[in-house]
Amino acid sequence: MPDRKDPLNNSFDSMRLIPSGGALGAEISGIDLSLPLSDDIKDGIRKALLDHCVLFFRGQELSDENQVQFTSYFGKPVQHVRKQRERRVKEIFIISNLTQNGEPIGALGNDEISFHSDLSYMPKPGTISALYAVEIPEVGGATQWCNCQAAYEALAPSMKGRLQGLRAVHRHYVEEQNPTYLVDHPVVIRHPESGKKSLYVGPHLTKHIVGMSPEDSEELLGELFAHQTKPEFLWTHQWQVGDLVMWDNRPTMHRREPFPATERRIMKRTQVFNDEVPVDG
Ligand code: SIN
């Protein structure tokens, strides 16, 4: 169980924001997410998310209902497109390497998952995701984010010009998770609230650039992937049990480090759907 020394009273004044010191990410302390949040706290969290792209809250004790309720402050929580076992709260998606009676209890196993933006293979991808740590491995299994706004900003003007108007196809490797048609999105998107531009490609789900030869597409995507994953654009979250991490998928990509198959990892994910098509940058 998370180590909580003092009860939290959820006043706006008790809320503290501590930037991670990395390319993105900040901790918010002094808030108990299982309790109702006032409008000024919700607004504070929304603003912090816009500024820092990833937020984490330590030491939370959340029921599935608490997590869905918290997620609902940022849009409509939806069931994940990937089918999972029958469960009480359908908006909770289990990420785990564990099995029960020979069946996986959740998705994603223990291997590395390379950089991606959640659900980018859908015509209207996820906007905000939240992940709650129930059990974590002794080694590995950290999650790393990259700041795709900073990566876009750092591109040479000639490359920014070259990317203008380009679109890329995104597809999931589990074929039945995809729509029946190919989905493409702009390579550079604009955040609907901040107006900032970011790269919207990643090695896990972006397949090729529309209208380019396979060789040219591979070369350009390779160059962009190498650029956006430079250390100066990254920040890694080392999980503790009871952490709730939320992130905006539009200005970020994330990857999960591998961990030994013999270790246990159980995370609960919720997803916001805002009926939003990525906006051309
Ligand atoms: C994901 O890629 O959404 C999963 C991240 C994680 O398990 O840390």
Side-chain angles (χ1 to χ4, degrees):
M1 272 289 117
D3 174 23
R4 180 177 298 158
K5 293 173 203 71
D6 305 308
L8 303 172
N9 64 7
N10 276 5
S11 74
F12 182 72
D13 291 340
S14 68
M15 181 159 118
R16 292 280 171 272
L17 183 125
I18 307 142
S20 71
L24 72 174
E27 176 176 3
I28 293 191
S29 67
I31 299 293
D32 180 344
L33 302 181
S34 71
L35 300 176
L37 301 186
S38 60
D39 286 346
D40 55 357
I41 291 177
K42 288 181 209 164
D43 287 347
I45 296 174
R46 286 191 199 105
K47 172 158 187 338
L49 187 62
L50 213 50
D51 292 344
H52 298 276
C53 305
V54 185
L55 300 177
F56 65 97
F57 304 77
R58 298 270 196 210
Q60 301 295 321
E61 290 176 32
L62 302 179
S63 67
D64 291 355
E65 287 83 356
N66 292 153
Q67 185 173 342
V68 173
Q69 173 75 36
F70 174 71
T71 308
S72 74
Y73 300 146
F74 309 95
K76 185 174 187 293
V78 287
Q79 197 172 329
H80 197 278
V81 290
R82 189 187 290 196
K83 289 198 178 51
Q84 283 206 320
R85 300 195 310 174
E86 207 37 53
R87 58 204 182 280
R88 201 170 47 80
V89 179
K90 301 245 178 311
E91 293 87 352
I92 296 283
F93 181 73
I94 305 288
I95 293 179
S96 183
N97 60 318
L98 303 183
T99 55
Q100 210 171 48
N101 303 324
E103 292 291 317
I105 66 162
L108 304 185
N110 67 299
D111 290 336
E112 175 177 355
I113 302 157
S114 57
F115 277 106
H116 63 283
S117 178
D118 285 335
L119 297 165
S120 71
Y121 49 91
M122 299 301 287
K124 293 177 176 175
T127 51
I128 290 160
S129 306
L131 198 56
Y132 178 57
V134 179
E135 286 192 56
I136 54 165
E138 290 281 328
V139 279
T143 309
Q144 185 172 57
W145 277 267
C146 101
N147 185 334
C148 298
Q149 285 175 340
Y152 174 78
E153 270 315 306
L155 287 172
S158 58
M159 179 58 97
K160 287 181 179 166
R162 192 175 166 206
L163 298 182
Q164 218 167 0
L166 291 185
R167 299 181 69 85
V169 169
H170 295 241
R171 198 131 182 104
H172 200 277
Y173 62 93
V174 178
E175 196 46 41
E176 61 268 23
Q177 235 171 277
N178 294 294
T180 50
Y181 51 91
L182 284 186
V183 168
D184 58 73
H185 296 300
V187 168
V188 177
I189 63 168
R190 185 184 290 276
H191 196 285
E193 287 159 69
S194 69
K196 289 185 189 165
K197 293 182 178 193
S198 58
L199 283 173
Y200 194 66
V201 288
H204 190 50
L205 298 174
T206 309
K207 298 302 163 200
H208 65 266
I209 304 219
V210 176
M212 266 192 189
S213 70
E215 297 76 22
D216 289 351
S217 167
E218 198 175 327
E219 190 183 329
L220 179 55
L221 285 176
E223 198 177 328
L224 295 176
F225 298 158
H227 169 76
Q228 70 191 153
T229 55
K230 285 179 185 158
E232 62 262 37
F233 304 129
L234 302 180
W235 168 71
T236 305
H237 183 67
Q238 303 293 346
W239 290 96
Q240 295 177 10
V241 169
D243 284 354
L244 184 293
V245 180
M246 67 186 298
W247 65 95
D248 188 335
N249 283 287
R250 295 161 290 188
T252 65
M253 299 267 155
H254 58 283
R255 72 178 265 274
R256 203 261 324 265
E257 291 178 353
F259 57 96
T262 47
E263 296 267 351
R264 296 173 62 90
R265 190 176 191 267
I266 304 180
M267 317 291 276
K268 292 183 174 179
R269 197 177 110 175
T270 38
Q271 182 68 52
V272 169
F273 176 75
N274 271 349
D275 204 12
E276 187 182 300
V277 175
V279 183
D280 201 330

